[in-house]
Amino acid sequence: MQKEKLRNVRKRKGFTQQQVAEYIATDVSNYSRKESGDVKIFHDEWDKIARFLEVPVEEIYEEEEAKQINHFENNTNSNNIGNVSGNYYCNVPEFLLESQRELIEMLKKENQRLQEELNAFKKK
């Protein structure tokens, strides 16, 4: 969800995304994604942005939309994680992470069982 209140106040005050990004110590592309709603704006960042714009947080704050966005860009990295200005990011829905955790746990148990079976064969 785009942060329209934030964008409107920033423009009304005459600031660029670059200026706000520098103030909160991030790069402009990351800040742009924050303002467009693709990347979460954390509580401390809301406070910093409000101080920079000289407005109360309530004037710019908008709730984060409960959504997950996957950013998988074409790149030459073998790890297949999006790379933007040297920052690696990958937003994966929690339900997928949980299913992967369960699968890993199951595989660990299967690996242990097979190791025990192999050890038993070696003893024969």
Side-chain angles (χ1 to χ4, degrees):
M1 175 176 90
Q2 289 195 358
K3 307 297 186 250
E4 290 299 326
K5 289 167 60 175
L6 172 56
R7 181 170 293 168
N8 291 338
V9 170
R10 176 182 58 77
K11 287 182 176 182
R12 186 181 79 229
K13 296 272 188 167
F15 293 110
T16 65
Q17 287 185 337
Q18 178 70 44
Q19 290 170 305
V20 179
E22 288 173 3
Y23 187 79
I24 66 170
T26 191
D27 59 82
V28 70
S29 65
N30 189 44
Y31 176 77
S32 177
R33 289 192 310 274
K34 288 175 181 289
E35 201 172 271
S36 69
D38 289 342
V39 174
K40 179 180 171 115
I41 300 176
F42 293 97
H43 182 71
D44 63 319
E45 291 174 321
W46 282 113
D47 291 338
K48 286 181 181 180
I49 295 167
R51 277 195 305 275
F52 179 76
L53 297 174
E54 298 177 332
V55 297
V57 173
E58 297 77 27
E59 190 172 329
I60 60 172
Y61 178 78
E62 293 179 65
E63 288 288 328
E64 296 293 328
E65 187 175 293
K67 68 177 180 176
Q68 296 289 331
I69 299 171
N70 295 318
H71 294 282
F72 297 103
E73 298 177 356
N74 294 332
N75 64 40
T76 58
N77 293 334
S78 61
N79 59 14
N80 292 324
I81 297 175
N83 181 6
V84 176
S85 301
N87 296 320
Y88 291 96
Y89 65 94
C90 183
N91 296 326
V92 179
E94 185 61 34
F95 76 92
L96 287 178
L97 290 174
E98 187 57 35
S99 78
Q100 294 302 302
R101 288 182 193 114
E102 291 170 2
L103 178 60
I104 290 168
E105 194 58 39
M106 182 197 72
L107 290 171
K108 283 180 181 179
K109 289 177 183 176
E110 179 66 8
N111 190 32
Q112 182 179 2
R113 185 191 67 76
L114 290 171
Q115 187 65 47
E116 290 169 359
E117 190 176 313
L118 179 62
N119 289 339
F121 280 124
K122 286 181 180 179
K123 288 181 182 178
K124 289 184 179 181

